[in-house]
């Protein structure tokens, strides 16, 4: 149900995962029969390593609560643990996108930057112009406060024009709100999560729920812990573009 992680490409491989990407390459050419051989391609590859880690969330509830519960509260607890774990995965991915430089190296991919110190109707379009040809399904990631600032600019200009270019908007509150962003701080990200990000779930995508009624049984407390073992990374150059103040 978490909007960002739902769109990320997923694999289920044991151990650390190395994902190759193209740092630079020459384009293909048309070769006429009998003509001199075309120049050999100069290809430079990079590698991003995805290292899984445990994301955990737990809560203690009392025996009395469980004794009186028809099952609805327990389902709520499971849903809450699951959502918080998925949200932490999404927040961590956002931080990794924000940390990328504007030029690819052999160990990290390029994420271009558009600087816009004021909200404009063409801001998202400028970010889209920096994406690679392969970024076919872009979305916009932003704080809800920033969404409101874009819509206010649209209303103030009396335009029917959509400042989001028809793209889906996915909300994440760890991205700075436009009103709070200072120089160089990202307040929106445009990009293709299916192309540009990859998550590896070595033990499967299901979140494991553990139930401990022994550790604090003298206090009549039961511990419920949710755990997800996952690694993710930004894996494709120019699949994302940051919009910064």
């Amino acid at each position: 149900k978490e909007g960002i992680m739902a769109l990320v490409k997923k694999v289920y491989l044991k151990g650390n995962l190395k994902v190759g990407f193209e740092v630079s390459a020459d384009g293909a050419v048309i070769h006429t029969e009998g003509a001199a051989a075309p120049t050999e391609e100069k290809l430079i590859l990079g590698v991003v390593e995805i290292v899984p880690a445990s994301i955990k969330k737990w809560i203690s509830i009392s025996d009395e609560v469980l004794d009186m519960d028809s099952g609805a509260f327990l389902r709520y607890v499971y849903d809450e643990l699951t959502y918080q774990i998925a949200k932490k995965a999404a927040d961590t991915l956002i931080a990794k996108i924000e940390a990328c430089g504007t030029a690819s190296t052999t160990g990290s991919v390029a994420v271009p930057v558009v600087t816009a110190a004021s909200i404009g109707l063409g801001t998202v379009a400028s970010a889209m112009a920096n994406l690679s040809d392969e970024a076919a399904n872009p979305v916009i990631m932003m704080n809800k406060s920033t969404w409101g600032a874009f819509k206010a600019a649209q209303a103030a200009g009396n335009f029917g024009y959509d400042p989001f270019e028809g793209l889906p908007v996915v909300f994440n509150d760890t991205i700075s709100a436009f009103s709070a962003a200072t120089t160089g701080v990202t307040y929106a990200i445009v990009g293709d999560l299916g192309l540009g990000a990859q998550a590896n779930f070595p033990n499967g995508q299901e979140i494991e729920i553990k139930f401990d009624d022994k550790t604090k049984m003298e206090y009549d407390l039961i511990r419920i812990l949710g755990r997800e073992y996952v690694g993710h990374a930004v894996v494709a150059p120019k699949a994302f573009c940051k919009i910064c103040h």
Side-chain angles (χ1 to χ4, degrees), residues 5 15 19 23 28 30 32 68 72 80 84 86 88 114 119 123 126 131 142 160 181 197 204 207 209-210 221 223 229:
M5 290 306 296
V19 181
V23 176
I30 295 175
T32 304
M68 293 186 294
E80 170 67 7
Q84 291 295 339
K88 181 61 177 178
V114 165
I119 293 290
T123 303
S126 297
L131 301 181
M142 63 174 58
I207 292 176
I209 301 292
K210 295 183 178 181
L221 291 176
R223 289 178 173 178
Y229 193 50

Short mmCIF file of all heavy atoms in Angstrom, two decimals, residues 5 15 19 23 28 30 32 68 72 80 84 86 88 114 119 123 126 131 142 160 181 197 204 207 209-210 221 223 229:
data_model
loop_
_atom_site.label_atom_id
_atom_site.label_comp_id
_atom_site.label_asym_id
_atom_site.label_seq_id
_atom_site.Cartn_x
_atom_site.Cartn_y
_atom_site.Cartn_z
N MET A 5 7.21 2.37 -2.81
CA MET A 5 7.72 1.00 -2.91
C MET A 5 6.88 0.13 -3.83
O MET A 5 7.37 -0.83 -4.41
CB MET A 5 7.81 0.37 -1.51
CG MET A 5 8.88 0.97 -0.62
SD MET A 5 10.54 0.97 -1.37
CE MET A 5 10.85 -0.79 -1.51
N GLY A 15 21.72 -12.97 -0.94
CA GLY A 15 23.00 -12.28 -0.86
C GLY A 15 22.96 -10.86 -1.40
O GLY A 15 21.92 -10.33 -1.74
N VAL A 19 24.32 -4.57 -9.59
CA VAL A 19 23.55 -4.18 -10.77
C VAL A 19 24.42 -3.29 -11.64
O VAL A 19 24.90 -2.24 -11.20
CB VAL A 19 22.26 -3.44 -10.37
CG1 VAL A 19 21.46 -3.05 -11.61
CG2 VAL A 19 21.42 -4.30 -9.43
N VAL A 23 27.75 3.97 -17.79
CA VAL A 23 28.24 5.31 -17.46
C VAL A 23 28.29 6.17 -18.73
O VAL A 23 27.82 7.30 -18.75
CB VAL A 23 29.63 5.23 -16.81
CG1 VAL A 23 30.18 6.65 -16.55
CG2 VAL A 23 29.57 4.45 -15.51
N ALA A 28 24.99 3.74 -31.87
CA ALA A 28 25.11 2.88 -33.05
C ALA A 28 25.16 3.73 -34.32
O ALA A 28 24.75 4.90 -34.33
CB ALA A 28 23.94 1.91 -33.11
N ILE A 30 24.88 3.58 -38.89
CA ILE A 30 24.49 2.83 -40.08
C ILE A 30 25.73 2.59 -40.93
O ILE A 30 26.47 3.53 -41.26
CB ILE A 30 23.43 3.61 -40.89
CG1 ILE A 30 22.14 3.75 -40.05
CG2 ILE A 30 23.14 2.91 -42.20
CD1 ILE A 30 21.09 4.61 -40.71
N THR A 32 27.36 1.17 -44.41
CA THR A 32 27.13 0.81 -45.81
C THR A 32 28.08 -0.30 -46.22
O THR A 32 29.27 -0.27 -45.89
CB THR A 32 27.34 2.04 -46.72
OG1 THR A 32 26.49 3.10 -46.27
CG2 THR A 32 27.03 1.70 -48.17
N MET A 68 -9.76 -9.14 25.27
CA MET A 68 -11.01 -8.45 24.92
C MET A 68 -11.14 -8.20 23.42
O MET A 68 -12.20 -7.78 22.95
CB MET A 68 -11.09 -7.11 25.66
CG MET A 68 -11.23 -7.24 27.17
SD MET A 68 -11.49 -5.64 27.98
CE MET A 68 -9.93 -4.83 27.66
N ALA A 72 -10.00 -7.33 15.55
CA ALA A 72 -9.88 -6.09 14.78
C ALA A 72 -8.66 -5.29 15.20
O ALA A 72 -7.93 -4.75 14.35
CB ALA A 72 -11.14 -5.24 14.95
N GLU A 80 -0.34 -1.63 10.90
CA GLU A 80 0.50 -0.48 11.27
C GLU A 80 1.98 -0.85 11.20
O GLU A 80 2.79 -0.08 10.65
CB GLU A 80 0.13 -0.02 12.68
CG GLU A 80 1.08 1.02 13.29
CD GLU A 80 1.07 2.36 12.59
OE1 GLU A 80 0.22 2.57 11.69
OE2 GLU A 80 1.91 3.21 12.93
N GLN A 84 4.58 0.95 8.52
CA GLN A 84 5.74 1.69 8.99
C GLN A 84 7.04 1.12 8.43
O GLN A 84 7.98 1.87 8.12
CB GLN A 84 5.78 1.70 10.52
CG GLN A 84 4.68 2.52 11.17
CD GLN A 84 4.78 4.00 10.85
OE1 GLN A 84 5.83 4.51 10.47
NE2 GLN A 84 3.67 4.71 10.99
N ALA A 86 7.30 -0.52 5.48
CA ALA A 86 7.32 -0.16 4.06
C ALA A 86 7.66 1.32 3.89
O ALA A 86 8.39 1.71 2.97
CB ALA A 86 5.98 -0.47 3.42
N LYS A 88 9.51 3.14 5.91
CA LYS A 88 10.93 3.33 6.18
C LYS A 88 11.75 2.96 4.95
O LYS A 88 12.74 3.63 4.62
CB LYS A 88 11.36 2.48 7.38
CG LYS A 88 12.83 2.63 7.74
CD LYS A 88 13.18 4.06 8.13
CE LYS A 88 14.62 4.18 8.57
NZ LYS A 88 14.98 5.58 8.91
N VAL A 114 17.27 20.34 -11.36
CA VAL A 114 16.69 21.58 -11.86
C VAL A 114 16.53 22.51 -10.66
O VAL A 114 15.97 22.12 -9.64
CB VAL A 114 15.32 21.33 -12.53
CG1 VAL A 114 14.57 22.64 -12.72
CG2 VAL A 114 15.50 20.64 -13.87
N ILE A 119 7.84 28.51 -7.30
CA ILE A 119 6.97 27.53 -7.94
C ILE A 119 6.52 28.07 -9.29
O ILE A 119 5.99 29.18 -9.39
CB ILE A 119 5.74 27.24 -7.06
CG1 ILE A 119 6.16 26.53 -5.78
CG2 ILE A 119 4.72 26.41 -7.82
CD1 ILE A 119 6.64 25.11 -5.99
N THR A 123 7.86 24.07 -14.06
CA THR A 123 8.94 23.47 -13.28
C THR A 123 9.03 21.97 -13.51
O THR A 123 10.12 21.41 -13.75
CB THR A 123 8.74 23.76 -11.78
OG1 THR A 123 8.68 25.17 -11.58
CG2 THR A 123 9.89 23.17 -10.97
N SER A 126 10.39 21.10 -16.92
CA SER A 126 11.84 21.27 -16.99
C SER A 126 12.56 20.05 -16.42
O SER A 126 13.59 19.63 -16.93
CB SER A 126 12.26 22.52 -16.21
OG SER A 126 11.71 23.68 -16.79
N LEU A 131 15.24 13.77 -18.07
CA LEU A 131 15.20 12.32 -17.92
C LEU A 131 15.68 11.63 -19.18
O LEU A 131 15.59 12.16 -20.29
CB LEU A 131 13.77 11.87 -17.60
CG LEU A 131 13.13 12.44 -16.33
CD1 LEU A 131 11.73 11.87 -16.16
CD2 LEU A 131 13.98 12.14 -15.11
N MET A 142 6.70 14.20 -3.87
CA MET A 142 6.79 15.46 -3.14
C MET A 142 6.01 15.38 -1.84
O MET A 142 5.19 14.48 -1.63
CB MET A 142 6.28 16.63 -3.98
CG MET A 142 4.82 16.55 -4.37
SD MET A 142 4.21 18.04 -5.23
CE MET A 142 5.30 18.14 -6.62
N GLY A 160 -5.92 26.79 -16.59
CA GLY A 160 -6.41 25.43 -16.54
C GLY A 160 -5.27 24.45 -16.76
O GLY A 160 -5.47 23.24 -16.72
N ALA A 181 12.20 24.58 2.28
CA ALA A 181 13.45 24.29 1.58
C ALA A 181 14.34 25.52 1.49
O ALA A 181 13.87 26.62 1.23
CB ALA A 181 13.15 23.75 0.19
N ALA A 197 15.02 2.55 -9.84
CA ALA A 197 15.26 1.98 -8.52
C ALA A 197 14.99 0.48 -8.56
O ALA A 197 14.15 0.00 -9.32
CB ALA A 197 14.37 2.65 -7.48
N GLY A 204 11.95 -13.03 0.32
CA GLY A 204 10.59 -12.81 -0.15
C GLY A 204 10.06 -11.48 0.34
O GLY A 204 10.57 -10.89 1.29
N ILE A 207 6.29 -9.44 4.87
CA ILE A 207 6.86 -8.95 6.12
C ILE A 207 6.60 -9.99 7.21
O ILE A 207 5.47 -10.46 7.40
CB ILE A 207 6.25 -7.60 6.51
CG1 ILE A 207 6.73 -6.54 5.51
CG2 ILE A 207 6.63 -7.20 7.93
CD1 ILE A 207 6.14 -5.17 5.70
N ILE A 209 6.09 -11.42 10.86
CA ILE A 209 5.56 -10.98 12.14
C ILE A 209 5.96 -11.99 13.21
O ILE A 209 5.68 -13.19 13.08
CB ILE A 209 4.03 -10.83 12.11
CG1 ILE A 209 3.60 -9.81 11.04
CG2 ILE A 209 3.50 -10.42 13.48
CD1 ILE A 209 4.00 -8.38 11.33
N LYS A 210 6.63 -11.52 14.27
CA LYS A 210 7.02 -12.39 15.38
C LYS A 210 6.22 -12.01 16.63
O LYS A 210 5.99 -10.83 16.89
CB LYS A 210 8.52 -12.26 15.65
CG LYS A 210 9.39 -12.77 14.51
CD LYS A 210 10.87 -12.69 14.86
CE LYS A 210 11.73 -13.26 13.73
NZ LYS A 210 13.18 -13.21 14.07
N LEU A 221 2.59 -8.50 29.38
CA LEU A 221 2.82 -7.80 28.11
C LEU A 221 3.26 -8.78 27.03
O LEU A 221 4.04 -9.72 27.30
CB LEU A 221 3.88 -6.71 28.29
CG LEU A 221 3.49 -5.50 29.14
CD1 LEU A 221 4.68 -4.56 29.29
CD2 LEU A 221 2.30 -4.77 28.53
N ARG A 223 4.93 -8.89 23.16
CA ARG A 223 5.64 -8.12 22.13
C ARG A 223 5.29 -8.65 20.74
O ARG A 223 5.33 -9.85 20.51
CB ARG A 223 7.16 -8.21 22.34
CG ARG A 223 7.67 -7.44 23.55
CD ARG A 223 9.16 -7.63 23.70
NE ARG A 223 9.71 -6.77 24.74
CZ ARG A 223 11.00 -6.78 25.09
NH1 ARG A 223 11.84 -7.60 24.50
NH2 ARG A 223 11.44 -5.97 26.03
N TYR A 229 13.50 -7.94 5.44
CA TYR A 229 14.91 -7.96 5.04
C TYR A 229 14.97 -7.52 3.58
O TYR A 229 14.51 -8.23 2.68
CB TYR A 229 15.47 -9.37 5.20
CG TYR A 229 16.98 -9.47 5.11
CD1 TYR A 229 17.80 -8.64 5.86
CD2 TYR A 229 17.58 -10.41 4.28
CE1 TYR A 229 19.18 -8.73 5.79
CE2 TYR A 229 18.95 -10.52 4.20
CZ TYR A 229 19.75 -9.68 4.96
OH TYR A 229 21.12 -9.78 4.88
#
